[in-house]
Amino acid sequence: CVFSFVVTYDLQFKHVDVKTAFLNSVLDEDIWIKFPVGYVHPEGHQYAQLGKAVYGLKQATKKWYDTQHVQMLAFDSQISRSKSDPGFYYLVTAGGKRVSSLDSAVSCSPDFWFLVNLHVDDYAVAYSHEEYYARWVLHMSSHFAITELGDVSKLLGMRVQRTPTTLVIDHFMYIGMLGHTYGVCPDTTVSTPMRHGLKLTHLPGGPNPNFPF
C-alpha cells in the first residue's frame, strides 16, 4: 500500500529507527523478576520490581505499541490509524480538508500526504511536505531515542530500490545470505537448480496425479 502511494504521488520515503524501543514503555502492572545467577545485590535482594518493559517480557511489544501510539496522536490528533492494520497511520488532505480514508484519497486529488508504517521499532514514513515530517521527527525524538536512516533502502529484510518512476523490492540480501550459508556463491550458480548433465525421463505409466506440476 505505502509503496504504491510513494511511486504514484512521488512522495519522500524515509526510514526511522527507535533505539531500545521496548525500554520506553512504563508498566501499569506489578511484575517481578529474579536476578540472574552471578549478580549480587548490595542489600542482598534476590528479586526486583520492573518499572519499565524489558526485552523478553511477553507484554513488551504491546506496551511499546501503546506508548508510541499515544505520542503519534499527541503530535497531531488528526492522524488516523488504519482499521485493518493497526501499525499503519495516515493523514491525507485535499483542499485543506482531511480525507477520511485512503480509498477515497485516490479519487480526490490530495495535496498533503503523511503515511507511517510501523514494524516493531522501525518507521517507514512517506510524506509530501518536508516541514511536517521534520516536526514529527522533532516530536518523536523528544520522547524516544531515534535515528534517521535516510531513504528507505531495506525494509523487513527486503532490498528497496527507487528510481524516478519505479520502486523495486526484492530478497537480494536474504538470498545472498542463504547462498553464503550453504556454500552457493554467485559464481557457482546455474540457470536450472539441478545436477549438471542430468537426464530426465518420463515416469512409467504416465503422469502421476500426486505430482501435478
Side-chain angles (χ1 to χ4, degrees):
C1 177
V2 176
F3 292 140
S4 62
F5 285 122
V6 166
V7 175
T8 303
Y9 296 95
D10 192 25
L11 305 178
Q12 295 293 318
F13 197 27
K14 302 295 183 181
H15 187 181
V16 176
D17 175 72
V18 181
K19 300 179 181 178
T20 58
F22 291 176
L23 304 184
N24 292 292
S25 308
V26 178
L27 296 173
D28 54 6
E29 55 199 304
D30 290 336
I31 299 178
W32 293 77
I33 61 170
K34 185 177 182 179
F35 291 127
V37 176
Y39 175 78
V40 179
H41 190 274
E43 298 179 7
H45 299 306
Q46 296 183 347
Y47 299 88
Q49 184 179 16
L50 290 179
K52 292 189 175 183
V54 295
Y55 285 81
L57 190 68
K58 291 182 178 180
Q59 300 94 322
T61 303
K62 178 64 164 58
K63 294 298 183 183
W64 157 242
Y65 174 82
D66 292 341
T67 299
Q68 68 82 34
H69 176 72
V70 169
Q71 294 306 324
M72 188 73 72
L73 299 188
F75 168 68
D76 191 338
S77 60
Q78 293 192 87
I79 293 177
S80 299
R81 175 172 55 182
S82 170
K83 294 180 180 179
S84 59
D85 182 359
F88 181 67
Y89 297 85
Y90 64 93
L91 175 58
V92 182
T93 65
K97 296 182 179 180
R98 184 166 66 95
V99 177
S100 59
S101 70
L102 291 180
D103 291 335
S104 58
V106 177
S107 59
C108 66
S109 301
D111 49 30
F112 177 92
W113 291 87
F114 186 70
L115 312 175
V116 180
N117 198 80
L118 167 68
H119 181 73
V120 190
D121 57 356
D122 287 301
Y123 289 104
V125 187
Y127 60 91
S128 57
H129 289 63
E130 187 70 38
E131 184 270 339
Y132 188 87
Y133 168 74
R135 287 197 294 112
W136 176 81
V137 169
L138 182 63
H139 172 80
M140 299 300 278
S141 63
S142 67
H143 297 278
F144 315 121
I146 67 174
T147 302
E148 292 186 80
L149 301 177
D151 293 334
V152 173
S153 60
K154 60 180 180 179
L155 191 64
L156 302 181
M158 299 180 292
R159 181 177 64 170
V160 180
Q161 295 178 296
R162 186 177 183 184
T163 71
T165 57
T166 63
L167 191 150
V168 179
I169 58 176
D170 59 43
H171 282 291
F172 177 83
M173 295 179 291
Y174 182 67
I175 293 173
M177 180 190 69
L178 289 178
H180 285 288
T181 300
Y182 295 100
V184 182
C185 300
D187 57 349
T188 63
T189 59
V190 294
S191 58
T192 303
M194 287 188 279
R195 188 174 74 249
H196 183 69
L198 179 65
K199 300 296 183 181
L200 301 179
T201 58
H202 291 288
L203 289 173
N208 188 329
N210 294 323
F211 301 97
F213 305 104

